[in-house]
């Protein structure tokens, strides 16, 4: 019957059986006649332990006809719950190891012809029949019924046998069988322990058999390394197909053929792990150890090793660091030097900014006082002009010259205020391309015939957010400076382009800007001149050739517009001045809005608040000459007392900067709190921004009589609907 597993699992034979290659059903093989003729009992099982064939000797010892067991499972044909696990374990061991397994002795009950179970003792050998791919196709069981021997042994032990030599022989036989079984138990325990160590070993291990290198064993580390699980019984070339061309197949062939061990260190291998789209590059330390049989033949290869990828990467990084250490030191030294240079540059820029701020505060105050003087002169001249006879050409010529000087002084103060960032700008969306093109005639006339003039505009130029008048003045100032720097002629190029700046900009700018560059091929600047070029009144020109306010106006305009300006220049190599203006999110206006004509006249009561003793009488005279009734105070506090007392006033005309607790803006707010409908016009020679922020009408000093009359009349009309 069944060749069952020993009471304790038997150790498989160490000798590998000659495989019987079976690719077709057993009925097609010539071995059937051999099995039938053999006096030894044989039965053939498939891998599900179903009986597919049995010879006559097997049918005879088991007492079953062929049609009663063929096609049935072994444990269905011969049920025995007590001993079935031992038999099943033997079969499974054959499937797992693909090697012969022997059971020395096991009891197994047999029912013959439907009778009661008959306890029999068996000894069996299970031999794997291998298919062409090395897998187990069938199990051939050779079974021997040793019940009589077992009974003789029992009788000998009970003293029922008188034949002493037979009794001794049987006793020796069973003693040897018991020793074999005990040995097998020990071997199985040792095998299980070794298999556990094999499976749990931290290094990867595998066993491949035969010339085709069929996987027989592989531990968890090996499966994790290759990223595959179902590999037992499959060839290396089938499982690890990506090793083609990497030399590993050839190494296995050489070890199997020569029986020589191969050791590799830091060997690079490309593996397609875990279905990754790209192969992973790994580094391995491994050994290919030939497995040698007792006759000296090589039966397979034992693979053992470690994944040293991380170690190799660390070594590579360490080697890279060691190799390039001097380069790194040089780089760090250069970076430190650059950082120190940058620190010095930033410190110099800070000192320059602090100096510019101090000069700006000074020039702002000077411009304020100067505007007051100009306003007094302008008012006096305009009052006198009204009294000059129409035929007095000489007096009118003198008046025109005086008014021209006042206008020139007003422009100078505007440039000073622009540098000091006190001049109120009126920014709008400026089409840089069209604006510079419209200035081409003016620029050409400002240059000389020996200077070549060119303009270059990048495509898709953004509009800039800037005061258009100040922008034109800045471009003109730069062109005139460039002209004076080329006494022997040369080339002037104006370039405009877009410039987006990120957080890492060394000048601290960030955002979208329009860059305007004015470059010349002139004499250039020394470092000392370049450092002071933006200072007001600083000039290298001869006396009477320049005011020194051109570049300061450019710098003040750029900074007040939210941009930047800087100079790149070397002696003998020309100068490039760069002007950055923020990008506008609005569309430029097309055309110029008409300027309304000034309205002269009045008849209204005006409360004039002016502290300057020179300006106040002049303004009073102008207002009275225009027909206004004037009540004057020197401080905002006095004016507020009059308003609170109900002084009849139609319009409040006040300076912004005055002594006392209140300035002009605070007075306007307090006045409107008392009389919300009271028209208010402010004037200042300092900055329009402080007043314009409240939405008040502001008249900058110095102003013309027509401008004053127009501002007062407009505010009176607006307040009365």
């Amino acid at each position: 019957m069944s060749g069952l597993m020993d009471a304790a699992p038997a150790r498989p034979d160490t000798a590998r059986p000659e495989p019987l290659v079976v690719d077709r059903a057993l009925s097609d093989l010539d071995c059937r006649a051999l099995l039938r003729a053999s006096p030894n009992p044989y039965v053939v099982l498939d891998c599900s332990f179903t009986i597919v064939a049995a010879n006559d000797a097997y049918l005879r010892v088991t007492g079953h006809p062929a049609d009663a067991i063929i096609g049935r499972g072994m444990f269905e044909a011969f049920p025995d719950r007590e001993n079935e696990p031992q038999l099943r374990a033997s079969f499974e061991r054959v499937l797992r190891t693909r090697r012969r397994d022997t059971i020395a002795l096991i009891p197994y009950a047999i029912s013959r012809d439907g009778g009661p179970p008959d306890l029999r003792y068996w000894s069996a050998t299970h031999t794997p029949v291998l298919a062409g791919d090395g897998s187990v196709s069938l199990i051939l069981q050779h079974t021997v019924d040793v019940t009589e021997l077992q009974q003789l042994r029992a009788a000998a032990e009970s003293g029922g046998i008188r034949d002493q030599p037979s009794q001794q022989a049987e006793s020796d036989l069973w003693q040897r069988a018991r020793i074999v079984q005990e040995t097998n138990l020990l071997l199985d325990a040792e095998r299980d322990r070794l298999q556990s160590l094999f499976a749990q070993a931290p290094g990867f291990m595998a066993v491949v058999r035969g010339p085709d290198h069929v996987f027989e064993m592989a531990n968890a580390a090996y499966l994790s390394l290759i990223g595959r699980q179902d590999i037992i019984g499959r060839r290396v070339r089938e499982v690890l197909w990506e090793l083609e061309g990497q030399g590993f197949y050839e190494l296995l062939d050489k070890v199997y053929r020569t029986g020589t061990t191969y050791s590799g260190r830091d060997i690079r291998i490309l593996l397609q792990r875990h279905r990754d789209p790209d192969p992973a590059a790994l580094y391995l330390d491994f050994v290919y150890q030939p497995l040698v049989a007792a006759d000296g033949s090589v039966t397979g290869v034992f693979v053992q090793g470690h994944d040293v990828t991380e170690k190799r990467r660390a070594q590579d990084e360490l080697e890279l660091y060691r190799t390039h250490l001097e380069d790194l030191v040089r780089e760090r030294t250069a970076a430190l030097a650059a950082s120190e240079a940058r620190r010095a540059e930033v410190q110099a820029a800070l000192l320059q900014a602090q100096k510019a701020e101090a000069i700006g505060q000074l020039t702002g105050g000077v411009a304020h006082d100067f505007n007051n003087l100009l306003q007094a002169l302008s008012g006096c001249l305009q009052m006198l002009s009204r009294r000059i006879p129409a035929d007095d050409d000489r007096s009118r010529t003198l008046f025109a010259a005086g008014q021209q000087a006042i206008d020139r002084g007003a422009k100078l103060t505007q440039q000073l205020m622009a540098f000091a960032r006190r001049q109120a700008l009126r920014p709008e969306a400026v089409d840089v391309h069209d604006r510079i093109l419209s200035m081409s005639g003016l620029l050409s006339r400002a240059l000389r015939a020996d200077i070549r003039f060119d303009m270059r505009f990048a495509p898709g130029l953004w509009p800039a957010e800037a005061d258009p008048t100040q922008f034109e003045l800045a471009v003109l100032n730069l062109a005139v400076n460039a002209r004076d720097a080329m006494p022997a002629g040369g080339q002037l190029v104006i370039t405009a382009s877009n410039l987006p700046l990120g957080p890492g900009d060394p000048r601290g700018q960030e955002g979208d800007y329009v860059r305007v560059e004015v470059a010349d091929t002139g004499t250039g600047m020394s470092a000392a001149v370049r450092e002071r070029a933006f200072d007001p009144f600083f000039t290298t020109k001869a006396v009477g050739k320049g005011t020194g306010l051109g570049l300061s106006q450019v710098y003040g305009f750029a900074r007040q517009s939210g941009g930047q300006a800087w100079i790149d220049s070397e002696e003998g190599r020309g100068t490039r001045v760069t002007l950055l203006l923020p990008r506008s999110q609005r569309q430029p206006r097309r055309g110029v809005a008409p300027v309304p004509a000034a309205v002269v006249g009045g008849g209204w009561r005006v409360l004039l608040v002016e502290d300057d003793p020179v300006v106040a009488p002049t303004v009073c005279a102008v207002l009275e000459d225009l027909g206004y009734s004037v009540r004057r105070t020197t401080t905002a506090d006095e004016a507020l007392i009059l308003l609170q007392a109900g002084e009849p006033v139609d319009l409040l005309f006040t300076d912004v900067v005055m002594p006392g607790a209140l300035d002009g803006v605070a007075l306007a707010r307090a006045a409107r709190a008392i009389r919300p409908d009271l028209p208010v016009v402010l004037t200042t020679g300092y900055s329009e921004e402080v007043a314009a922020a409240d939405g008040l009408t502001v008249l900058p000093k110095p102003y013309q009589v027509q401008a004053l009359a127009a501002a007062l009349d407009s505010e009176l009309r607006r307040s009365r609907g």
Side-chain angles (χ1 to χ4, degrees):
M1 119 95 233
S2 55
L4 305 124
M5 182 169 180
D6 18 7
R11 177 68 175 178
D13 290 351
T14 57
R16 182 180 179 86
E18 291 296 329
L20 175 60
V21 179
V22 179
D23 289 325
R24 297 168 298 165
L26 188 61
S27 59
D28 296 331
L29 299 177
D30 295 333
C31 64
R32 178 179 293 275
L34 296 175
L35 290 174
R36 181 181 298 111
S38 174
N40 297 313
Y42 286 99
V43 65
V44 181
L45 313 173
D46 64 13
C47 293
S48 64
F49 311 146
T50 299
I51 299 173
V52 298
N55 68 352
D56 293 342
Y58 185 85
L59 298 175
R60 189 166 50 253
V61 298
T62 59
H64 286 68
D67 56 1
I69 63 173
I70 301 299
R72 300 178 66 189
M74 172 64 77
F75 306 114
E76 178 187 358
F78 302 101
D80 187 331
R81 293 185 178 277
E82 182 178 354
N83 297 292
E84 175 185 328
Q86 300 175 16
L87 177 58
R88 184 182 297 275
S90 179
F91 290 156
E92 290 175 348
R93 188 158 53 247
V94 171
L95 293 179
R96 185 176 66 253
T97 65
R98 290 174 297 148
R99 301 177 66 180
R100 181 184 298 122
D101 194 82
T102 300
I103 299 177
L105 182 68
I106 186 173
Y108 210 95
I110 298 295
S111 297
R112 304 173 186 270
D113 300 326
D118 180 17
L119 182 63
R120 309 293 295 175
Y121 291 88
W122 309 89
S123 178
T125 300
H126 300 142
T127 303
V129 180
L130 304 182
D133 61 356
S135 62
V136 176
S137 175
L138 299 169
I139 299 175
L140 177 65
Q141 183 189 72
H142 173 214
T143 307
V144 178
D145 187 347
V146 294
T147 303
E148 285 72 15
L149 291 176
Q150 176 65 12
Q151 291 173 348
L152 287 173
R153 174 179 174 276
E157 291 177 351
S158 63
I161 298 179
R162 293 187 297 271
D163 187 350
Q164 189 65 31
S166 298
Q167 178 181 356
Q168 184 63 43
E170 294 302 328
S171 176
D172 292 343
L173 174 63
W174 292 115
Q175 183 65 25
R176 287 195 299 273
R178 186 163 46 252
I179 293 173
V180 168
Q181 288 183 336
E182 291 174 353
T183 301
N184 285 340
L185 284 173
L186 294 175
L187 290 175
D188 282 343
E190 181 66 17
R191 179 203 60 196
D192 292 342
R193 189 175 73 85
L194 291 176
Q195 286 182 340
S196 177
L197 292 175
F198 178 87
Q200 300 177 33
F204 61 83
M205 291 189 290
V207 175
V208 294
R209 289 285 183 178
D212 291 333
H213 314 304
V214 176
F215 280 105
E216 185 176 76
M217 298 176 68
N219 69 348
Y222 188 89
L223 298 177
S224 175
L225 174 74
I226 65 174
R228 298 162 174 84
Q229 296 294 324
D230 186 19
I231 69 171
I232 302 303
R234 300 169 63 190
R235 295 178 298 122
V236 170
R237 282 179 170 82
E238 174 190 356
V239 173
L240 302 176
W241 49 268
E242 69 269 30
L243 298 185
E244 183 68 40
Q246 298 189 48
F248 293 95
Y249 300 154
E250 294 76 7
L251 282 176
L252 284 171
D253 291 340
K254 181 178 179 180
V255 171
Y256 184 84
R257 184 179 64 254
T258 64
T260 303
T261 300
Y262 174 82
S263 296
R265 293 182 59 82
D266 282 343
I267 304 300
R268 188 173 186 267
I269 183 173
L270 294 177
L271 286 175
Q272 198 78 28
R273 308 173 71 191
H274 309 296
R275 304 185 183 275
D276 290 341
D278 299 317
L282 304 176
Y283 290 88
L284 307 178
D285 287 351
F286 66 91
V287 175
Y288 284 168
Q289 176 70 41
L291 299 176
V292 182
D295 59 0
S297 63
V298 177
T299 61
V301 177
F302 176 64
V303 181
Q304 187 272 334
H306 297 274
D307 182 354
V308 295
T309 304
E310 294 303 322
K311 176 183 176 182
R312 171 60 182 265
R313 289 173 180 168
Q315 289 175 341
D316 289 346
E317 291 178 3
L318 182 61
E319 179 66 18
L320 180 64
Y321 179 79
R322 186 189 65 81
T323 303
H324 299 288
L325 182 59
E326 292 184 0
D327 293 339
L328 292 173
V329 170
R330 282 193 294 270
E331 289 177 7
R332 298 297 183 269
T333 303
L336 182 61
S339 176
E340 182 62 23
R342 174 61 180 156
R343 187 195 65 78
E345 180 182 345
V346 171
Q347 185 176 18
L350 177 61
L351 292 175
Q352 181 71 11
Q354 291 172 340
K355 180 180 71 173
E357 181 65 22
I359 295 175
Q361 292 177 359
L362 175 63
T363 54
V366 170
H368 171 263
D369 293 339
F370 193 44
N371 275 332
N372 278 334
L373 295 175
L374 291 175
Q375 181 60 55
L377 290 172
S378 177
C380 290
L381 281 177
Q382 292 181 67
M383 291 294 295
L384 290 173
S385 70
R386 292 172 176 269
R387 293 162 175 77
I388 298 175
D391 58 349
D392 190 350
D393 295 336
R394 183 177 181 183
S395 296
R396 291 196 176 278
T397 300
L398 291 174
F399 166 76
Q403 189 61 52
Q404 186 178 7
I406 291 172
D407 292 341
R408 184 176 178 184
K411 289 182 180 179
L412 287 175
T413 57
Q414 286 180 356
Q415 290 178 323
L416 285 171
M417 298 293 283
F419 172 80
R421 301 176 68 181
R422 298 292 188 268
Q423 177 69 38
L425 301 182
R426 294 173 175 81
E428 60 182 68
V430 175
D431 189 324
V432 174
H433 177 274
D434 291 351
R435 185 70 61 167
I436 296 178
L437 280 180
S438 68
M439 296 176 62
S440 58
L442 175 62
L443 293 172
S444 297
R445 288 192 297 272
L447 302 175
R448 299 189 307 273
D450 59 354
I451 296 177
R452 299 187 306 277
F453 176 43
D454 190 15
M455 292 181 288
R456 301 169 186 172
F457 302 99
L461 196 62
W462 297 327
E465 187 74 13
D467 185 313
T469 302
Q470 291 294 324
F471 173 73
E472 291 182 355
L473 180 60
V475 173
L476 181 60
N477 282 335
L478 293 176
V480 170
N481 273 5
R483 177 201 66 190
D484 295 341
M486 296 184 288
Q491 183 178 18
L492 173 67
V493 179
I494 299 179
T495 306
S497 60
N498 299 330
L499 183 63
L501 295 178
D505 176 63
R507 298 183 184 272
Q509 299 293 129
E510 181 179 353
D512 292 339
Y513 293 88
V514 178
R515 174 173 54 191
V516 178
E517 294 181 337
V518 179
D520 63 62
T521 58
T523 56
M525 302 180 188
S526 65
V529 171
R530 189 171 62 247
E531 183 179 349
R532 299 190 58 193
F534 285 137
D535 292 355
F537 304 114
F538 174 79
T539 180
T540 58
K541 300 175 184 178
V543 177
K545 297 295 184 180
T547 63
L549 291 174
L551 286 177
S552 65
Q553 181 271 334
V554 172
Y555 178 82
F557 162 65
R559 297 297 293 162
Q560 196 171 0
S561 299
Q564 181 64 272
W566 65 83
I567 299 174
D568 296 307
S569 182
E570 293 183 22
E571 286 186 288
R573 303 189 64 176
T575 299
R576 174 181 285 105
V577 180
T578 301
L579 181 65
L580 282 190
L581 296 174
R583 176 185 181 181
S584 178
Q585 301 302 322
R586 301 180 289 175
Q587 291 299 319
R589 292 186 301 173
R590 301 302 176 186
V592 180
V595 178
V599 179
V600 180
W604 306 98
R605 292 164 296 187
V606 175
L607 176 58
L608 173 64
V609 187
E610 174 62 65
D611 66 296
D612 192 291
V614 177
V615 176
T618 306
V619 176
C620 283
V622 170
L623 290 173
E624 289 171 351
D625 196 54
L626 289 173
Y628 290 101
S629 174
V630 181
R631 175 69 182 273
R632 180 211 167 189
T633 65
T634 58
T635 66
D637 297 324
E638 295 174 5
L640 186 58
I641 292 173
L642 291 177
L643 291 173
Q644 290 172 340
E647 178 77 15
V649 173
D650 297 312
L651 184 141
L652 173 64
F653 183 44
T654 176
D655 194 9
V656 172
V657 179
M658 290 181 296
L662 299 177
D663 61 10
V665 177
L667 173 60
R669 294 170 184 164
R672 286 191 168 176
I674 298 171
R675 289 182 51 185
D677 59 341
L678 179 65
V680 178
V681 177
L682 290 88
T683 184
T684 181
Y686 193 59
S687 173
E688 303 170 49
E689 291 179 340
V690 292
D694 279 30
L696 299 169
T697 300
V698 183
L699 189 64
K701 296 178 181 179
Y703 49 80
Q704 300 288 329
V705 172
Q706 293 85 351
L708 172 61
L712 298 182
D713 184 75
S714 175
E715 187 63 23
L716 285 166
R717 291 178 182 274
R718 186 186 64 79
S719 65
R720 284 162 173 75

